[in-house]
């Protein structure tokens, strides 16, 4: 009947309007989440810090420190392991890679002997400890990852202004280290924005799908009249 058609049309309109409102709300929430992905109550969010921290660990210097401090000084192969770490991260340790390319040049000999290797690595550990202000442990109990994460907010303050009136990346930063942190921070923010867009995009798609199901998929087809010939 015509009345049924009007009622169904109104119901469809209402459902799609509600769906659109939910999608719109989800999109708005997604935008809000993206803008707040760096800060919460004036502090960096745990998720943002974790992403930047993982980025730091994957830098050349981060890998060199992780490899070095994971070595056990009590191991019989410690000096050889140290030499291999130095060779692997020659640039970080300020060594010319070309000098290490010759097969007849052993890194321990180049540094003046095995004890010099030990001294070299220990001085590096001490300098990093002094720079971070905390004692770095060696071997399996190495705490370098936790220390770097603890200091990540300090590193971020060099590239991000979280004052109430700013809340933005600084236009200029000095030093290669700061520039590297700036890139890591921007990459982390971009990743969080994409995550937010994906979450709320999925919510929107789900809402529209549910609206379609309610409007069309669940409609019961009218029963067809049966023609029964009655025999006299």
């Amino acid at each position: 009947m015509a009345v049924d058609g009007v009622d169904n049309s109104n119901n469809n309109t209402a459902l799609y309007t509600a769906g659109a409102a939910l999608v719109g709300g989800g999109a708005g929430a997604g935008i809000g989440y993206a803008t707040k992905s760096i800060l919460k109550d004036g502090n960096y969010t745990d998720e943002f810090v974790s992403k930047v921290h993982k980025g730091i660990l994957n830098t050349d210097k981060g890998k060199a420190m992780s490899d070095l401090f994971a070595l056990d000084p009590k191991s019989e192969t410690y000096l050889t392991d140290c030499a291999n770490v130095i060779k692997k991260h020659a640039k970080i340790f300020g060594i010319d890679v070309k000098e290490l390319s010759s097969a007849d040049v052993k890194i321990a000999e180049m540094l003046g002997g095995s004890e010099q290797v030990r001294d070299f690595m220990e001085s590096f550990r001490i300098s990093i400890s002094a720079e971070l202000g905390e004692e770095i442990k060696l071997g399996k109990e190495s705490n370098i990852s936790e220390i770097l994460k603890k200091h990540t907010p300090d590193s971020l303050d060099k590239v991000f202004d979280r004052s109430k009136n700013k809340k933005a990346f600084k236009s200029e930063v000095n030093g290669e280290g700061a520039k590297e942190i700036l890139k890591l921070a921007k990459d982390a923010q971009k990743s969080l924005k994409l995550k937010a867009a994906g979450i709320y995009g999925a919510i929107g798609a789900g809402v529209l799908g549910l609206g379609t199901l309610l409007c069309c998929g669940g409609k019961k087809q009218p029963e067809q009249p049966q023609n029964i010939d009655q025999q006299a």
Side-chain angles (χ1 to χ4, degrees):
M1 295 177 63
V3 174
D4 292 335
V6 171
D7 288 342
N8 287 337
S9 176
N10 289 337
N11 290 337
N12 292 351
T13 301
L15 283 168
Y16 281 121
T17 300
L22 285 172
V23 173
I31 294 172
Y33 179 85
T35 57
K36 296 178 181 178
S37 59
I38 291 182
L39 297 176
K40 181 179 180 181
D41 299 329
N43 297 315
Y44 299 112
T45 64
D46 292 339
E47 192 172 16
F48 181 62
V49 170
S50 293
K51 281 188 173 294
V52 176
H53 168 245
K54 288 180 180 178
I56 291 173
L57 291 179
N58 282 321
T59 62
D60 291 339
K61 187 173 182 179
K63 290 177 181 178
M65 288 191 293
S66 296
D67 288 348
L68 166 64
F69 303 136
L71 301 179
D72 184 1
K74 298 179 182 179
S75 171
E76 293 181 359
T77 61
Y78 179 64
L79 295 178
T80 301
D81 295 339
C82 284
N84 289 333
V85 169
I86 294 175
K87 186 173 183 178
K88 180 180 178 181
H89 303 288
K91 184 178 179 181
I92 296 300
F93 292 110
I95 296 175
D96 188 350
V97 179
K98 294 179 180 178
E99 294 184 43
L100 301 176
S101 61
S102 177
D104 60 346
V105 176
K106 293 182 179 179
I107 192 167
E109 294 176 355
M110 189 189 80
L111 293 175
S114 59
E115 286 305 314
Q116 280 68 26
V117 172
R118 187 189 294 274
D119 293 341
F120 181 91
M121 300 300 274
E122 181 62 12
S123 64
F124 182 74
R125 183 188 71 83
I126 292 174
S127 66
I128 296 297
S129 293
E131 181 181 332
L132 297 176
E134 294 188 52
E135 184 70 17
I136 297 174
K137 299 177 182 178
L138 296 174
K140 294 181 179 179
E141 71 277 11
S142 177
N143 55 351
I144 183 62
S145 178
E146 290 79 5
I147 290 177
L148 288 176
K149 187 171 185 178
K150 181 179 178 180
H151 287 272
T152 296
D154 297 330
S155 298
L156 287 170
D157 280 341
K158 297 177 181 178
V159 302
F160 190 86
D161 187 345
R162 51 175 164 158
S163 60
K164 186 175 182 180
N165 297 329
K166 289 285 185 180
K167 295 183 180 180
F169 288 107
K170 296 178 180 179
S171 57
E172 294 184 8
V173 295
N174 299 317
E176 291 301 316
K179 290 179 181 179
E180 193 167 41
I181 294 294
L182 177 61
K183 182 180 184 306
L184 292 174
K186 287 185 175 181
D187 287 346
Q189 185 195 37
K190 182 178 180 180
S191 174
L192 291 174
K193 283 184 176 180
L194 290 174
K195 178 180 177 180
I199 290 173
Y200 289 102
I203 291 175
V207 170
L208 285 178
L210 178 60
T212 301
L213 177 64
L214 292 174
C215 293
C216 307
K219 184 186 293 184
K220 185 177 180 181
Q221 297 297 324
E223 294 182 3
Q224 298 296 325
Q226 296 180 358
N227 294 322
I228 301 176
D229 294 332
Q230 296 182 356
Q231 297 293 330

